[in-house]
Amino acid sequence: MTDTTAAVPTTTGPQAVRISAEAQRRRTFAVISHPDAGKSTLTEALVLHAKAITEAGAIHGKSGRRATVSDWMEMEKARGISITSTALQFPYKTGSGNTCVINLLDTPGHADFSEDTYRVLTAVDSAVMLIDAAKGLEPQTLKLFQVCRHRRIPIITVINKWDRPGRHALELMDEIQSRIGLRPTPLTWPVGIAGDFKGVLDRRTGNFIRYTRTAGGATAAPEEHIDPARAHDAAGVDWDTAVEESELLSADGADFDMDTFLDCTSSPVLFTSAALNFGVNQLLDVLAQLAPPPNGQLDVDGNRREASAPFSAFVFKVQAGMDSAHRDRIAYARVCSGTFERGEVLTHASTGKPFVTKYAQSVFGQQRSTLDTAWPGDVIGLANAAALRPGDTLYQDVAVKFPPIPSFSPEHFAVARGTDPSKHKQFRKGIEQLDQEGVIQVLRSDVRGDQAPVFAAVGPLQFEVATHRMANEFSAPIELERLPYTVARIADPGDAETLQKLASVEVFTRTDGVMLAVFSTKWRLEHVQRDLPDVTLRSLVAAED
Ligand code: G4P
């Protein structure tokens, strides 16, 4: 794509300078990890360190931590999980006295893994890949990493739980390099093996950063910066080992490099214990110093909408039914350019209609408050957003349209059937609506007929959301019959007949007209590819191997 910035007028004068300055100090990122690697703990620790809250534990309300009241869907209440992504915003004052604004977008994990998890990654400028020191790279981390790589999102790697016995640091570096081809360039190196965490060698200054435990890790852990000459006295042979290993890394070319980091081919690495609040400061500093700020956004024609241009944003998530008292719908949009002022009227690019922003909210954990102003990189929650869909563009003054958010490769499939034949119309309407909103992807085939559309999802929770909304919102209860497929590929319509005849394979048409062939397993897919080399089967997007 060409990058013809001149095509898009920018705001001029002091306002443009202000917008650029606000964009420059923003860091919008997400944490990608496998469940249990410590994402919630790290999130709390980051906020604690940034001093946005005074007590760790006010965000997620997990067991044993301070509970937060959720007024989301009844289903969510019953299961005690958070379906939505929350966007946290907090200021962070760096050592040099500058104040960054950190926007941390939550990627739902666990059972609530869904297409939304991927969509969040369309709204960030960088990602923190959080790895459990004992487990190394795990499946969900890998899936999310592939999306980041595809979107060229720079990645900061954090090896967590270093206070517990785990694998050797060098072995973990090898695993990252060999399994995902990302060159790890450690910025810190642990002093003491996993389970005996004394601190880190700061590979940029050569200093020993010694951490001290606090009771329960409840407050920011004190850290002491000791110059190399005194480090051996402070940490003994563990220091010498760390120095030796660090020299080995340098000899191997594993020193930080900005260009390859921004290019998503290398990744700075930090070692932490989120539970003890060790290393969290360093992560905030790295985000502030190295993570890229918002840099405008390419539109559908490949022209860059500069951050200082008039307001524009794209919707990356729509959350429905959040408050049972008001059948409310919130669209989360990332600001790409300009200033957002609550109350101003925006234009919805796909319909050309005005969109009133009286009800804009910022979201902090599960608490929401009214938002008045937002800048590039910020996330705004727009209430009363029935007309907005993921991928939609909103703008002011100068028209722009951003590319649609790609749909990701579904791994779960189920036939949907209405249980009340008299609700045929509601059934159709509900399914059309859920499809448009991106709650599930809807597939059809002549074989199954229009009465039995197939829902496709990247996570099974999407089925629960769809079933709940069909019954409660559209008064068209459904039952789902799971289908034994796990892999989807884009197929050419000309091959449909051949594929349809195979066992453990089925062919569907998606609402956007794309033909999908689905397979029971990836081995079945490989088999078909071997047996029928003339049949073209393409990966959907990013999320695939
Ligand atoms: P997640 O959001 O990625 O799923 O992980 P979460 O933060 O909930 O952490 C999963 C478990 O790992 C929690 O233990 C948490 O305390 C623990 N943990 C997170 N970071 C560290 C760390 O740096 N060191 C150690 N030793 N443990 C860590 P839990 O027993 O499941 O829950 P809890 O009762 O401690 O909250």
CSV table of all heavy atoms in Angstrom, one decimal, residues 33-42 62-63 65 110 130 160-164 272-276, ligand 1:
chain,number,residue,atom,x,y,z
A,33,SER,N,-1.5,-13.5,26.5
A,33,SER,CA,-0.9,-14.5,27.3
A,33,SER,C,-1.9,-15.7,27.3
A,33,SER,O,-3.0,-15.6,26.9
A,33,SER,CB,-0.7,-14.0,28.7
A,33,SER,OG,-2.0,-13.7,29.3
A,34,HIS,N,-1.4,-16.8,27.8
A,34,HIS,CA,-2.3,-18.0,28.1
A,34,HIS,C,-2.9,-17.8,29.5
A,34,HIS,O,-2.3,-17.2,30.3
A,34,HIS,CB,-1.4,-19.2,28.0
A,34,HIS,CG,-2.2,-20.5,27.9
A,34,HIS,ND1,-2.7,-20.9,26.7
A,34,HIS,CD2,-2.6,-21.4,28.8
A,34,HIS,CE1,-3.3,-22.0,26.8
A,34,HIS,NE2,-3.3,-22.4,28.1
A,35,PRO,N,-4.1,-18.3,29.7
A,35,PRO,CA,-4.7,-18.2,31.0
A,35,PRO,C,-3.7,-18.6,32.1
A,35,PRO,O,-3.0,-19.6,31.9
A,35,PRO,CB,-5.9,-19.1,30.9
A,35,PRO,CG,-6.3,-19.2,29.5
A,35,PRO,CD,-5.0,-19.0,28.7
A,36,ASP,N,-3.7,-17.9,33.2
A,36,ASP,CA,-2.9,-18.2,34.4
A,36,ASP,C,-1.5,-17.8,34.3
A,36,ASP,O,-0.7,-18.0,35.3
A,36,ASP,CB,-2.9,-19.7,34.7
A,36,ASP,CG,-4.1,-20.1,35.6
A,36,ASP,OD1,-4.7,-19.1,36.1
A,36,ASP,OD2,-4.4,-21.2,35.8
A,37,ALA,N,-1.1,-17.1,33.2
A,37,ALA,CA,0.3,-16.7,33.2
A,37,ALA,C,0.5,-15.5,34.1
A,37,ALA,O,1.7,-15.1,34.4
A,37,ALA,CB,0.7,-16.3,31.7
A,38,GLY,N,-0.6,-14.8,34.5
A,38,GLY,CA,-0.5,-13.7,35.4
A,38,GLY,C,-0.9,-12.4,34.9
A,38,GLY,O,-0.5,-11.3,35.4
A,39,LYS,N,-1.8,-12.4,33.8
A,39,LYS,CA,-2.2,-11.2,33.2
A,39,LYS,C,-2.9,-10.2,34.2
A,39,LYS,O,-2.6,-9.0,34.2
A,39,LYS,CB,-3.0,-11.5,32.0
A,39,LYS,CG,-3.3,-10.3,31.2
A,39,LYS,CD,-4.0,-10.6,29.9
A,39,LYS,CE,-5.3,-11.4,30.3
A,39,LYS,NZ,-6.4,-11.3,29.3
A,40,SER,N,-3.9,-10.8,34.9
A,40,SER,CA,-4.6,-10.0,35.8
A,40,SER,C,-3.7,-9.4,36.9
A,40,SER,O,-3.8,-8.2,37.3
A,40,SER,CB,-5.7,-10.7,36.5
A,40,SER,OG,-6.4,-11.5,35.6
A,41,THR,N,-2.8,-10.3,37.4
A,41,THR,CA,-1.9,-9.8,38.4
A,41,THR,C,-1.0,-8.7,37.9
A,41,THR,O,-0.7,-7.7,38.6
A,41,THR,CB,-1.0,-11.0,38.9
A,41,THR,OG1,-1.9,-12.1,39.2
A,41,THR,CG2,-0.2,-10.7,40.2
A,42,LEU,N,-0.5,-8.9,36.7
A,42,LEU,CA,0.4,-7.9,36.1
A,42,LEU,C,-0.4,-6.6,35.9
A,42,LEU,O,0.2,-5.5,36.1
A,42,LEU,CB,1.0,-8.4,34.8
A,42,LEU,CG,1.9,-7.4,34.1
A,42,LEU,CD1,3.2,-7.3,34.8
A,42,LEU,CD2,2.2,-7.9,32.6
A,62,LYS,N,-11.2,-10.8,41.0
A,62,LYS,CA,-11.1,-12.3,41.0
A,62,LYS,C,-11.2,-12.8,42.4
A,62,LYS,O,-11.1,-12.0,43.3
A,62,LYS,CB,-9.7,-12.7,40.4
A,62,LYS,CG,-9.7,-12.8,38.9
A,62,LYS,CD,-8.6,-13.7,38.4
A,62,LYS,CE,-8.7,-14.0,37.0
A,62,LYS,NZ,-7.7,-15.0,36.6
A,63,SER,N,-11.2,-14.1,42.5
A,63,SER,CA,-11.4,-14.7,43.9
A,63,SER,C,-10.3,-14.2,44.8
A,63,SER,O,-9.1,-14.2,44.4
A,63,SER,CB,-11.4,-16.2,43.8
A,63,SER,OG,-10.1,-16.6,43.3
A,65,ARG,N,-9.6,-11.4,45.7
A,65,ARG,CA,-9.2,-10.0,45.6
A,65,ARG,C,-10.4,-9.2,45.8
A,65,ARG,O,-11.5,-9.7,45.9
A,65,ARG,CB,-8.6,-9.7,44.2
A,65,ARG,CG,-7.4,-10.5,44.0
A,65,ARG,CD,-6.9,-10.3,42.6
A,65,ARG,NE,-5.9,-11.3,42.3
A,65,ARG,CZ,-5.6,-11.8,41.1
A,65,ARG,NH1,-6.3,-11.3,40.1
A,65,ARG,NH2,-4.8,-12.7,40.9
A,110,HIS,N,-9.2,-17.3,28.9
A,110,HIS,CA,-9.9,-18.4,29.5
A,110,HIS,C,-11.1,-18.8,28.5
A,110,HIS,O,-11.0,-18.7,27.4
A,110,HIS,CB,-10.5,-18.0,30.8
A,110,HIS,CG,-9.7,-18.5,31.9
A,110,HIS,ND1,-9.6,-19.9,32.2
A,110,HIS,CD2,-8.9,-17.9,32.8
A,110,HIS,CE1,-8.7,-20.0,33.3
A,110,HIS,NE2,-8.3,-18.8,33.6
A,130,LEU,N,3.1,-12.1,27.6
A,130,LEU,CA,3.4,-12.5,29.0
A,130,LEU,C,3.6,-14.1,29.0
A,130,LEU,O,2.7,-14.8,28.7
A,130,LEU,CB,2.3,-12.1,29.9
A,130,LEU,CG,2.5,-12.3,31.4
A,130,LEU,CD1,3.6,-11.5,32.0
A,130,LEU,CD2,1.1,-12.0,32.1
A,160,ASN,N,7.3,-14.1,33.3
A,160,ASN,CA,6.7,-13.9,34.7
A,160,ASN,C,6.9,-15.1,35.6
A,160,ASN,O,7.3,-16.1,35.2
A,160,ASN,CB,5.2,-13.5,34.5
A,160,ASN,CG,4.6,-13.0,35.8
A,160,ASN,OD1,5.2,-12.3,36.6
A,160,ASN,ND2,3.4,-13.4,36.0
A,161,LYS,N,6.6,-14.8,36.9
A,161,LYS,CA,6.7,-15.8,37.9
A,161,LYS,C,8.1,-16.3,38.2
A,161,LYS,O,8.3,-17.5,38.5
A,161,LYS,CB,5.8,-17.1,37.6
A,161,LYS,CG,4.3,-16.7,37.4
A,161,LYS,CD,3.4,-17.9,37.4
A,161,LYS,CE,2.0,-17.5,37.1
A,161,LYS,NZ,1.0,-18.6,37.2
A,162,TRP,N,9.1,-15.4,38.0
A,162,TRP,CA,10.5,-15.8,38.2
A,162,TRP,C,10.8,-16.1,39.7
A,162,TRP,O,11.8,-16.6,40.0
A,162,TRP,CB,11.4,-14.7,37.7
A,162,TRP,CG,12.7,-15.2,37.4
A,162,TRP,CD1,13.9,-15.0,38.1
A,162,TRP,CD2,13.1,-16.1,36.3
A,162,TRP,NE1,14.9,-15.7,37.5
A,162,TRP,CE2,14.5,-16.4,36.4
A,162,TRP,CE3,12.4,-16.6,35.2
A,162,TRP,CZ2,15.1,-17.2,35.5
A,162,TRP,CZ3,13.0,-17.4,34.3
A,162,TRP,CH2,14.4,-17.7,34.5
A,163,ASP,N,9.8,-15.7,40.6
A,163,ASP,CA,10.0,-16.1,42.0
A,163,ASP,C,9.8,-17.5,42.3
A,163,ASP,O,10.0,-18.0,43.4
A,163,ASP,CB,9.0,-15.2,42.8
A,163,ASP,CG,7.6,-15.5,42.5
A,163,ASP,OD1,7.2,-15.2,41.3
A,163,ASP,OD2,6.8,-16.0,43.3
A,164,ARG,N,9.2,-18.2,41.2
A,164,ARG,CA,8.9,-19.7,41.4
A,164,ARG,C,9.9,-20.5,40.6
A,164,ARG,O,10.4,-20.0,39.5
A,164,ARG,CB,7.5,-20.0,40.9
A,164,ARG,CG,6.5,-19.5,41.9
A,164,ARG,CD,5.3,-20.5,42.0
A,164,ARG,NE,4.6,-20.7,40.7
A,164,ARG,CZ,3.3,-20.6,40.5
A,164,ARG,NH1,2.6,-20.3,41.5
A,164,ARG,NH2,2.8,-20.8,39.4
A,272,THR,N,10.0,-10.8,35.4
A,272,THR,CA,9.2,-10.2,36.4
A,272,THR,C,8.7,-11.2,37.4
A,272,THR,O,8.7,-12.4,37.1
A,272,THR,CB,8.0,-9.5,35.9
A,272,THR,OG1,7.1,-10.4,35.3
A,272,THR,CG2,8.3,-8.4,34.9
A,273,SER,N,8.2,-10.7,38.5
A,273,SER,CA,7.3,-11.5,39.4
A,273,SER,C,6.2,-10.5,39.6
A,273,SER,O,6.3,-9.6,40.5
A,273,SER,CB,8.0,-11.9,40.7
A,273,SER,OG,6.9,-12.3,41.5
A,274,ALA,N,5.1,-10.7,38.8
A,274,ALA,CA,4.0,-9.7,39.0
A,274,ALA,C,3.4,-9.8,40.4
A,274,ALA,O,3.0,-8.8,40.9
A,274,ALA,CB,2.9,-10.0,37.9
A,275,ALA,N,3.4,-11.0,40.9
A,275,ALA,CA,2.8,-11.2,42.2
A,275,ALA,C,3.5,-10.5,43.3
A,275,ALA,O,3.0,-10.0,44.3
A,275,ALA,CB,2.7,-12.7,42.6
A,276,LEU,N,4.9,-10.4,43.1
A,276,LEU,CA,5.7,-9.7,44.1
A,276,LEU,C,6.0,-8.2,43.7
A,276,LEU,O,6.7,-7.5,44.4
A,276,LEU,CB,7.0,-10.4,44.4
A,276,LEU,CG,6.9,-11.9,44.9
A,276,LEU,CD1,8.3,-12.5,45.1
A,276,LEU,CD2,6.2,-11.9,46.3
B,1,G4P,P1,-4.4,-14.7,34.3
B,1,G4P,O1,-5.1,-13.4,34.5
B,1,G4P,O2,-3.3,-14.6,33.3
B,1,G4P,O3,-5.3,-15.8,34.1
B,1,G4P,O4,-3.5,-15.0,35.6
B,1,G4P,P2,-3.7,-14.4,37.1
B,1,G4P,O5,-3.2,-13.0,37.2
B,1,G4P,O6,-5.1,-14.7,37.6
B,1,G4P,O7,-2.7,-15.4,37.8
B,1,G4P,C1,-2.8,-16.8,37.9
B,1,G4P,C2,-2.2,-17.3,39.1
B,1,G4P,O8,-0.8,-17.1,39.1
B,1,G4P,C3,-2.7,-16.6,40.4
B,1,G4P,O9,-2.7,-17.6,41.4
B,1,G4P,C4,-1.6,-15.6,40.6
B,1,G4P,O10,-1.6,-15.2,42.0
B,1,G4P,C5,-0.4,-16.3,40.2
B,1,G4P,N1,0.7,-15.4,39.8
B,1,G4P,C6,0.6,-14.4,38.9
B,1,G4P,N2,1.8,-13.8,38.8
B,1,G4P,C7,2.7,-14.5,39.6
B,1,G4P,C8,4.0,-14.4,39.9
B,1,G4P,O11,4.8,-13.5,39.4
B,1,G4P,N3,4.5,-15.3,40.8
B,1,G4P,C9,3.8,-16.3,41.4
B,1,G4P,N4,4.4,-17.1,42.3
B,1,G4P,N5,2.5,-16.4,41.1
B,1,G4P,C10,1.9,-15.5,40.3
B,1,G4P,P3,-4.0,-18.2,42.0
B,1,G4P,O12,-3.6,-19.1,43.1
B,1,G4P,O13,-4.7,-18.9,40.8
B,1,G4P,O14,-4.9,-17.0,42.4
B,1,G4P,P4,-4.7,-16.0,43.7
B,1,G4P,O15,-5.5,-16.7,44.7
B,1,G4P,O16,-3.3,-15.9,44.0
B,1,G4P,O17,-5.3,-14.8,43.2
